[in-house]
């Protein structure tokens, strides 16, 4: 089995740095950008060695357009740009991006060091589209105060089954599709909602993340919208989302690794009210997405090959 990139399967450390880059003229610069990207695992090892307890990792992912410029014939079968959604006054924009760096460690300074070095190497070949510095908030809570990650697949076996491409696309086994959205929360509005009502918006108890009973949990609760059963099995993704922000603008950087982009697409359609059952996710009354993009995180072996093209 080819080796998945280092940040996908382990539970995340306390600090994250997300960098979404746009490649200027991918047909001209794509190859040189891929070479820098392929060098990132070695750079991570070098910087990470200064403090191995910080557990520095970085997962590098490619957008559909950059992949086309690099390897038009050999493509991950399901890689496609994210299609924007809009309905009932809610919207999920598609903002794109060619390269995603997902950096994790216990030390913000090491994350920053790595991001700066990669940024310097890429020079004028890229523009920064979005940069988000995420932090673990309290006991892994979203800024709404609810624990995030309770029902995430746990352990290598379950996380691999949800996140990694298997034999169905043999050239890309061990790779992973990535879906990202940056959300901005309206916490002032959220604070006007009594805790018992907030629990109905999420579908879980605030204190301990216990799921509400079927009777108490509305069809519009976040977890009612994102739990989807098909052929008796729940559709799974591996979420790595992080709170971020300043006292002025704050929210959640949502990121999910998955074996097919169909799964987050279905969840999002149910959240946004475009799935056809007449409901939408009431969490979306308190938060809105300002970015949206799909990527593919190839296995380490495929990443190295891309750098040699
Ligand atoms: C404002 C953005 C979001 C916030 C604040 C948020 C927060 C939460 C919270 C608090 C939970 C409950 C605890 C847990 O199981 O992790 C949860 C569950 C979940 N969320 Fe989100 N989420 C957001 C966006 C999304 C999006 C965009 C998706 C998918 C496209 C998604 C998919 C899921 C899934 C699959 C679960 C687990 C449901 C279960 O099995 O019980 N979330 N989220």
């Amino acid at each position: 089995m080819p080796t998945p990139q280092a940040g996908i399967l382990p539970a995340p450390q306390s600090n994250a740095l997300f960098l979404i880059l746009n490649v200027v003229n991918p047909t001209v610069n794509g190859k040189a950008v891929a070479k820098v990207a392929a060098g990132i695992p070695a750079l991570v090892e070098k910087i990470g060695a200064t403090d191995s307890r910080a557990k520095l990792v970085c997962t590098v992912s490619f957008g559909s357009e950059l992949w086309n410029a690099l390897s038009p014939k050999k493509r991950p079968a399901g890689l496609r740009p994210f299609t924007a959604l809009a309905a009932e006054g809610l919207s999920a924009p598609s903002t794109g991006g060619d390269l995603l760096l997902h950096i994790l460690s216990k030390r913000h300074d090491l994350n920053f060091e790595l991001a700066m070095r990669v940024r310097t190497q890429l020079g004028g070949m890229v523009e920064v589209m979005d940069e988000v510095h995420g932090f673990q908030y309290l006991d892994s809570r979203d800024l709404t105060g609810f624990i995030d990650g309770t029902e995430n697949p746990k352990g290598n076996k379950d996380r691999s089954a949800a996140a990694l491409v298997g034999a169905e696309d043999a050239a890309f086994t061990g790779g992973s599709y990535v879906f990202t959205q940056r959300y901005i929360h309206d916490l002032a509005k959220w604070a006007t909602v009594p805790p018992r009502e907030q629990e109905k918006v999420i579908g879980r108890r605030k204190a301990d993340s216990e799921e509400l009973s079927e009777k108490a949990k509305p069809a519009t609760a976040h977890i009612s919208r994102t739990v989807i059963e098909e052929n008796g099995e729940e559709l799974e993704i591996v979420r790595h989302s992080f709170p971020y922000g300043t006292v002025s603008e704050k929210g959640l950087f949502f990121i999910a690794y998955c074996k097919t982009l169909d799964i987050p697409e279905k969840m999002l359609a149910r959240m946004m009210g475009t799935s056809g059952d007449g409901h939408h996710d009431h969490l979306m009354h308190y938060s809105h997405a300002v970015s949206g993009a799909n990527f593919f995180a190839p296995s380490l072996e495929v990443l190295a090959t891309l750098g040699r093209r």
Side-chain angles (χ1 to χ4, degrees), residues 142-152 179 181 183-185 202-204 209 211 222-224 226-228 234-237 239 241 251-252 254 256 263-269 271 281 283-284 286-289:
D142 170 64
L143 296 174
T144 53
F146 281 79
I147 294 173
D148 194 9
T150 311
E151 278 299 327
N152 231 0
F179 171 57
Q181 281 185 304
Y183 281 90
I184 297 178
H185 293 351
I202 299 291
R204 290 187 177 273
S209 204
E211 189 171 348
H222 180 56
I223 67 166
S224 305
T226 52
V227 172
I228 306 173
E234 238 177 66
L235 301 184
E236 301 274 17
I237 55 179
R239 288 171 288 139
S241 310
L252 184 80
F254 180 86
I263 297 178
E265 245 169 48
K266 284 179 190 170
M267 291 172 177
L268 191 67
M271 288 173 63
D281 187 335
L283 179 57
M284 296 295 100
Y286 307 96
S287 188
H288 68 282

Side-chain angles (χ1 to χ4, degrees), residues 1 3 40-41 53 59 61 67 84 97 107 144-145 150 160 214 223 227-228 241 250 269 284 304:
M1 167 85 155
T3 324
I40 290 177
R53 280 177 308 181
T59 302
S61 311
W67 198 289
R107 282 181 49 182
T144 53
T150 311
S160 299
E214 284 308 313
I223 67 166
V227 172
I228 306 173
S241 310
K250 51 210 160 291
M284 296 295 100

Side-chain angles (χ1 to χ4, degrees), residues 8-21:
I8 302 172
L9 299 180
Q13 300 299 328
S14 54
N15 291 276
L17 198 159
F18 301 95
L19 207 52
I20 298 183
L21 304 171

Side-chain angles (χ1 to χ4, degrees), residues 73-131:
K73 294 207 181 100
K74 203 171 166 194
R75 289 175 49 82
L79 182 59
R80 57 194 182 249
F82 168 62
T83 306
L85 295 179
E88 298 184 41
L90 304 178
S91 76
S94 169
T95 48
D98 290 316
L99 206 62
L100 166 71
L101 262 61
H102 175 194
I103 304 173
L104 288 162
S105 84
K106 287 184 185 152
R107 282 181 49 182
H108 183 56
D109 59 338
L110 291 189
N111 291 356
F112 195 64
E113 176 73 16
L114 176 63
M116 278 199 302
R117 293 231 206 149
V118 176
R119 176 72 194 89
T120 304
Q121 286 182 18
L122 291 169
M125 297 188 293
V126 300
E127 295 158 344
V128 177
M129 292 180 71
D130 204 7
E131 175 174 351

Side-chain angles (χ1 to χ4, degrees), residues 5 28 45 53 76 99 121 123-124 127 144 159 174-175 177 180 183 186 200-201 215 226 232 237 261 291:
Q5 289 196 55
V28 175
E45 206 163 302
R53 280 177 308 181
L99 206 62
Q121 286 182 18
E127 295 158 344
T144 53
R159 286 168 80 87
Y177 292 94
T180 66
Y183 281 90
D186 186 344
K200 288 186 191 153
V201 171
K215 229 171 92 193
T226 52
I237 55 179
L261 289 167
S291 76

